Amino acid sequence: MMKLAIIGTGYVGLTTGTCFAEVGHRVICVDNNAQKVVALQQGEIPIFEPELEQLIVSNVAAGRLSFTMDIAEAVRLSDVIFIAVPTPPLEDGSVDLSYIESVSCTVAELITPEMGYRVIVDKSTVPVSTGSKVLQVLQRYSSSGVDVDVVSNPEFLREGCAVDDLLNPDRIVVGSDSARALDVMRRIYQPFSAPMVETDLASAELIKHAANSFLAMKISYINSVAAVCEAAGADVEQVALGIGMDKRIQRHFLNAGLGYGGSCFPKDVKGFIHVAEQLGSPMTILHEVENVNERQLARFLNRIREKMWILGHKRIAVWGLAFKQNTDDVRESVSIKLIKQLCDEGAIVSAYDPAARITGAAALEGYDVNITEDMYSCLKGAELLIIGTEWKEFAQANFSRVSELLHLPLVYDGRNILHGENVTAAGLEYHSIGRKTMMPKS
Ligand code: UDX
Ligand code: UDX
């Protein structure tokens, strides 16, 4: 059992801290948002993430997990301090490291030589060389004689399946220039069966940016192929299957759609572009990854305009607000962008999401969108239906009912999640990404 503190109890900090408690460590989660901490102390979970709530409840009950605003106590009581505060993008694409810097300063002022050895671990996604800056801050602002090392331990959790990704990761990456700190990290991850990749500090930081950018590149690659498929009358799903069976390529993250969103890929691609440029080794390939991602929504809307002509005053139903399935997170959600564009063109939009109705409404503040409590009332009066998020339950909808409620027999699936046969059997036209349009059966 190790004594751990996690500073920043957001998506990453909360799920990571809970999973560390689940494998037996004692974890104190710290946050400077009083409302969030009080809610967590009362057993209210601020995010929708499958399996998380029951793990929090059981680990709090077992005395292994607690929540506080008291960073000083958490630092005093913990051997290892993880930093999981936000690293949002700035206007110029660089990463805002001010939260990391201010937490590092606070920790530096709190640790004393009497506390003994402390390891500070960066969990947040940061540009390469941030860890060495954190170490400088610790050396600069701590009292003399403190014994401290810095580690980079990037997370690879996907929202919506974060608990499983954390408890059963493909690999664990830890980077440090201190052998002693790496030994501490081995002890923390000893209960996990995944292989551990041990690197120097800078390489671990780079692994995170390079991994997320590579995955974003896979998505943009298949979306480019999807555009060619549309032009050639081919089927991108068959192409993805055919290329994905090559073990060197793999089928994962080759799902064509409206493009990637979320709090990570857009920010991390930008962050990697920026840091590479600063280092004089531009990752020019990533500019095109971004371009393709932007074009994807524009291409989709053009196809709808081709059919509907003018979108102003058209009643349009959108299923999906979250940036992906199984989450209530709408940060950088392509579906939210789509809805905003439809509204800007004067369309009358109603929307439904299984989990992101409240977060979606907040993201759409100022836009007149009717967010409904169920998927069918969203369709009342609508001329067409657009799927913006890949929720599996959309595929299980009753399309006969959909067909009765829609004014025109038009379904545009921006995530290739529906079964075309079910849609067309209900008398609806089925438009998707990178595939031929399927016409109604009756
Ligand atoms: C994290 C990482 O920080 C980011 O680098 C990574 O790429 C994605 O995951 P996330 O957990 O999604 O971000 O952020 P968020 O849900 O916004 O949570 C951050 C938490 O830190 C919030 O609860 C916020 O209140 C807290 N915080 C922020 C602090 O406790 N102290 C601060 O100084 C700033
Ligand atoms: C991502 C990484 O997967 C994870 O390893 C990292 O640590 C954090 O960022 P996350 O953003 O939670 O996770 O979700 P992810 O499943 O990667 O999806 C990101 C976006 O890409 C979503 O908008 C999703 O709809 C889109 N996507 C994903 C596709 O368009 N096609 C795919 O094949 C996969």
Short mmCIF file of all heavy atoms in Angstrom, two decimals, residues 7-13 30-33 36 84-87 99 102-103 124-125 155 159 208 263-264 267-268 331, ligand 1:
data_model
loop_
_atom_site.label_atom_id
_atom_site.label_comp_id
_atom_site.label_asym_id
_atom_site.label_seq_id
_atom_site.Cartn_x
_atom_site.Cartn_y
_atom_site.Cartn_z
N ILE A 7 -3.77 15.81 -7.17
CA ILE A 7 -4.21 17.20 -7.17
C ILE A 7 -4.93 17.49 -8.49
O ILE A 7 -4.35 17.35 -9.56
CB ILE A 7 -3.02 18.16 -6.97
CG1 ILE A 7 -2.32 17.79 -5.66
CG2 ILE A 7 -3.49 19.61 -6.96
CD1 ILE A 7 -1.06 18.56 -5.40
N GLY A 8 -6.21 17.85 -8.38
CA GLY A 8 -7.07 18.01 -9.56
C GLY A 8 -7.98 16.79 -9.65
O GLY A 8 -7.53 15.69 -9.96
N THR A 9 -9.26 17.00 -9.30
CA THR A 9 -10.18 15.87 -9.25
C THR A 9 -11.18 15.97 -10.40
O THR A 9 -12.39 15.98 -10.19
CB THR A 9 -10.87 15.82 -7.86
OG1 THR A 9 -9.84 15.93 -6.88
CG2 THR A 9 -11.60 14.51 -7.61
N GLY A 10 -10.65 16.11 -11.61
CA GLY A 10 -11.50 16.14 -12.81
C GLY A 10 -11.67 14.74 -13.37
O GLY A 10 -11.55 13.76 -12.64
N TYR A 11 -11.95 14.65 -14.65
CA TYR A 11 -12.13 13.33 -15.30
C TYR A 11 -10.93 12.44 -15.02
O TYR A 11 -11.06 11.28 -14.65
CB TYR A 11 -12.32 13.51 -16.80
CG TYR A 11 -13.72 13.89 -17.18
CD1 TYR A 11 -14.12 15.22 -17.19
CD2 TYR A 11 -14.64 12.91 -17.53
CE1 TYR A 11 -15.42 15.57 -17.53
CE2 TYR A 11 -15.93 13.25 -17.87
CZ TYR A 11 -16.32 14.58 -17.87
OH TYR A 11 -17.61 14.92 -18.21
N VAL A 12 -9.74 13.00 -15.20
CA VAL A 12 -8.53 12.18 -15.08
C VAL A 12 -8.19 11.92 -13.61
O VAL A 12 -7.99 10.77 -13.21
CB VAL A 12 -7.35 12.87 -15.81
CG1 VAL A 12 -6.04 12.16 -15.52
CG2 VAL A 12 -7.62 12.91 -17.30
N GLY A 13 -8.15 12.98 -12.80
CA GLY A 13 -7.76 12.82 -11.40
C GLY A 13 -8.72 11.92 -10.63
O GLY A 13 -8.29 11.05 -9.86
N VAL A 30 -7.45 15.91 -4.11
CA VAL A 30 -7.51 17.33 -3.74
C VAL A 30 -8.09 18.12 -4.91
O VAL A 30 -7.76 17.85 -6.06
CB VAL A 30 -6.09 17.88 -3.46
CG1 VAL A 30 -6.16 19.28 -2.87
CG2 VAL A 30 -5.30 16.96 -2.57
N ASP A 31 -8.92 19.10 -4.58
CA ASP A 31 -9.39 20.00 -5.64
C ASP A 31 -9.62 21.37 -5.04
O ASP A 31 -9.96 21.50 -3.86
CB ASP A 31 -10.69 19.46 -6.27
CG ASP A 31 -10.87 19.95 -7.70
OD1 ASP A 31 -11.27 21.13 -7.89
OD2 ASP A 31 -10.59 19.17 -8.64
N ASN A 32 -9.43 22.41 -5.85
CA ASN A 32 -9.67 23.77 -5.32
C ASN A 32 -11.09 24.25 -5.58
O ASN A 32 -11.43 25.39 -5.27
CB ASN A 32 -8.63 24.77 -5.87
CG ASN A 32 -8.73 24.95 -7.37
OD1 ASN A 32 -9.58 24.34 -8.01
ND2 ASN A 32 -7.86 25.77 -7.93
N ASN A 33 -11.92 23.38 -6.14
CA ASN A 33 -13.32 23.72 -6.37
C ASN A 33 -14.15 23.19 -5.18
O ASN A 33 -14.42 21.99 -5.07
CB ASN A 33 -13.77 23.08 -7.69
CG ASN A 33 -15.21 23.35 -8.03
OD1 ASN A 33 -16.04 23.55 -7.13
ND2 ASN A 33 -15.53 23.33 -9.30
N LYS A 36 -17.29 21.07 -5.77
CA LYS A 36 -16.99 19.71 -6.23
C LYS A 36 -16.57 18.83 -5.05
O LYS A 36 -17.03 17.70 -4.92
CB LYS A 36 -15.87 19.77 -7.28
CG LYS A 36 -15.63 18.48 -7.99
CD LYS A 36 -14.54 18.61 -9.05
CE LYS A 36 -15.08 18.89 -10.41
NZ LYS A 36 -14.08 18.79 -11.48
N ALA A 84 -2.88 16.48 -11.66
CA ALA A 84 -3.85 16.18 -12.74
C ALA A 84 -4.75 17.39 -12.98
O ALA A 84 -5.97 17.26 -13.08
CB ALA A 84 -4.66 14.94 -12.40
N VAL A 85 -4.13 18.57 -13.03
CA VAL A 85 -4.91 19.79 -13.29
C VAL A 85 -4.96 20.05 -14.80
O VAL A 85 -4.18 19.48 -15.55
CB VAL A 85 -4.32 21.01 -12.52
CG1 VAL A 85 -4.50 20.84 -11.02
CG2 VAL A 85 -2.86 21.22 -12.87
N PRO A 86 -5.88 20.89 -15.25
CA PRO A 86 -6.04 21.07 -16.69
C PRO A 86 -4.83 21.73 -17.37
O PRO A 86 -4.11 22.52 -16.74
CB PRO A 86 -7.26 21.99 -16.82
CG PRO A 86 -7.89 22.02 -15.47
CD PRO A 86 -6.84 21.69 -14.47
N THR A 87 -4.68 21.38 -18.64
CA THR A 87 -3.64 22.01 -19.48
C THR A 87 -4.31 22.43 -20.79
O THR A 87 -4.04 21.87 -21.84
CB THR A 87 -2.50 21.00 -19.75
OG1 THR A 87 -3.06 19.76 -20.21
CG2 THR A 87 -1.68 20.74 -18.52
N TYR A 99 -1.67 26.34 -14.59
CA TYR A 99 -2.16 25.54 -13.44
C TYR A 99 -1.07 24.60 -12.93
O TYR A 99 -0.90 24.43 -11.73
CB TYR A 99 -3.40 24.72 -13.82
CG TYR A 99 -4.57 25.55 -14.27
CD1 TYR A 99 -5.03 25.48 -15.59
CD2 TYR A 99 -5.24 26.40 -13.39
CE1 TYR A 99 -6.10 26.26 -16.01
CE2 TYR A 99 -6.31 27.16 -13.80
CZ TYR A 99 -6.73 27.09 -15.12
OH TYR A 99 -7.79 27.85 -15.54
N SER A 102 1.40 26.73 -11.02
CA SER A 102 0.97 27.22 -9.70
C SER A 102 0.86 26.06 -8.70
O SER A 102 1.25 26.21 -7.54
CB SER A 102 -0.31 28.05 -9.81
OG SER A 102 -1.43 27.23 -9.73
N VAL A 103 0.41 24.88 -9.16
CA VAL A 103 0.38 23.72 -8.25
C VAL A 103 1.81 23.34 -7.85
O VAL A 103 2.08 23.04 -6.67
CB VAL A 103 -0.37 22.52 -8.89
CG1 VAL A 103 -0.14 21.25 -8.11
CG2 VAL A 103 -1.86 22.81 -8.99
N SER A 124 -1.06 15.14 -15.98
CA SER A 124 -1.65 15.97 -17.03
C SER A 124 -0.83 15.85 -18.31
O SER A 124 0.38 15.61 -18.25
CB SER A 124 -1.67 17.44 -16.60
OG SER A 124 -2.39 17.60 -15.43
N THR A 125 -1.51 16.06 -19.44
CA THR A 125 -0.79 16.03 -20.72
C THR A 125 -0.05 17.36 -20.90
O THR A 125 -0.67 18.42 -20.87
CB THR A 125 -1.77 15.84 -21.88
OG1 THR A 125 -2.51 14.66 -21.59
CG2 THR A 125 -1.05 15.70 -23.19
N GLU A 155 -1.53 9.55 -18.84
CA GLU A 155 -2.70 8.64 -18.81
C GLU A 155 -3.17 8.39 -20.24
O GLU A 155 -3.02 9.25 -21.09
CB GLU A 155 -3.82 9.24 -17.95
CG GLU A 155 -4.22 10.69 -18.26
CD GLU A 155 -5.07 10.87 -19.48
OE1 GLU A 155 -5.68 9.88 -19.91
OE2 GLU A 155 -5.11 12.00 -20.03
N GLU A 159 -12.51 8.46 -22.08
CA GLU A 159 -13.75 8.70 -21.35
C GLU A 159 -14.80 7.71 -21.86
O GLU A 159 -14.80 7.34 -23.03
CB GLU A 159 -14.21 10.14 -21.56
CG GLU A 159 -13.29 11.11 -20.83
CD GLU A 159 -13.68 12.56 -21.04
OE1 GLU A 159 -14.85 12.85 -21.30
OE2 GLU A 159 -12.78 13.42 -20.92
N LYS A 208 3.07 10.65 -24.81
CA LYS A 208 1.65 11.04 -24.73
C LYS A 208 1.23 11.86 -25.94
O LYS A 208 0.23 11.57 -26.59
CB LYS A 208 1.40 11.80 -23.42
CG LYS A 208 -0.01 12.33 -23.27
CD LYS A 208 -1.05 11.20 -23.23
CE LYS A 208 -2.44 11.67 -23.44
NZ LYS A 208 -3.20 11.95 -22.27
N SER A 263 -11.77 16.54 -25.02
CA SER A 263 -10.84 17.46 -24.34
C SER A 263 -9.40 17.12 -24.66
O SER A 263 -8.49 17.82 -24.23
CB SER A 263 -11.06 17.38 -22.84
OG SER A 263 -10.63 16.12 -22.37
N CYS A 264 -9.15 16.04 -25.41
CA CYS A 264 -7.76 15.62 -25.60
C CYS A 264 -7.24 15.77 -27.02
O CYS A 264 -6.29 16.52 -27.26
CB CYS A 264 -7.58 14.19 -25.11
SG CYS A 264 -7.70 14.11 -23.32
N LYS A 267 -6.79 19.34 -28.54
CA LYS A 267 -5.79 20.08 -27.76
C LYS A 267 -4.39 19.47 -27.93
O LYS A 267 -3.41 20.20 -28.06
CB LYS A 267 -6.24 20.05 -26.30
CG LYS A 267 -5.16 20.23 -25.27
CD LYS A 267 -5.73 20.24 -23.87
CE LYS A 267 -5.89 18.88 -23.24
NZ LYS A 267 -4.67 18.18 -22.86
N ASP A 268 -4.32 18.15 -27.92
CA ASP A 268 -3.00 17.51 -27.95
C ASP A 268 -2.35 17.61 -29.33
O ASP A 268 -1.13 17.77 -29.43
CB ASP A 268 -3.10 16.06 -27.48
CG ASP A 268 -3.49 15.98 -26.01
OD1 ASP A 268 -3.42 17.02 -25.33
OD2 ASP A 268 -3.87 14.90 -25.54
N ARG A 331 -17.01 18.67 -24.17
CA ARG A 331 -15.90 19.53 -24.55
C ARG A 331 -15.47 19.21 -25.98
O ARG A 331 -15.26 18.06 -26.33
CB ARG A 331 -14.72 19.34 -23.58
CG ARG A 331 -15.03 19.92 -22.19
CD ARG A 331 -13.87 19.73 -21.23
NE ARG A 331 -13.74 18.35 -20.80
CZ ARG A 331 -12.81 17.91 -19.94
NH1 ARG A 331 -11.93 18.76 -19.43
NH2 ARG A 331 -12.75 16.65 -19.58
C1 UDX B 1 -6.90 16.30 -17.49
C2 UDX B 1 -5.50 16.86 -17.67
O1 UDX B 1 -5.28 17.88 -16.81
C3 UDX B 1 -5.23 17.22 -19.07
O2 UDX B 1 -3.93 17.66 -19.24
C4 UDX B 1 -5.40 16.00 -19.87
O3 UDX B 1 -5.04 16.19 -21.19
C5 UDX B 1 -6.82 15.55 -19.77
O4 UDX B 1 -7.11 15.33 -18.46
P1 UDX B 1 -9.37 16.76 -16.95
O5 UDX B 1 -9.23 15.83 -15.80
O6 UDX B 1 -10.20 16.32 -18.10
O7 UDX B 1 -7.91 17.16 -17.51
O8 UDX B 1 -9.76 18.20 -16.48
P2 UDX B 1 -10.98 18.70 -15.60
O9 UDX B 1 -12.08 17.70 -15.67
O10 UDX B 1 -11.17 20.10 -16.00
O11 UDX B 1 -10.42 18.62 -14.10
C6 UDX B 1 -9.41 19.38 -13.58
C7 UDX B 1 -9.67 19.57 -12.09
O12 UDX B 1 -8.57 20.26 -11.52
C8 UDX B 1 -10.93 20.40 -11.79
O13 UDX B 1 -11.75 19.68 -10.89
C9 UDX B 1 -10.38 21.68 -11.17
O14 UDX B 1 -11.25 22.22 -10.19
C10 UDX B 1 -9.08 21.19 -10.58
N1 UDX B 1 -8.06 22.22 -10.38
C11 UDX B 1 -7.73 23.07 -11.39
C12 UDX B 1 -7.39 22.27 -9.17
O15 UDX B 1 -7.69 21.51 -8.25
N2 UDX B 1 -6.40 23.21 -9.01
C13 UDX B 1 -6.06 24.06 -9.99
O16 UDX B 1 -5.17 24.89 -9.80
C14 UDX B 1 -6.73 23.99 -11.23
#
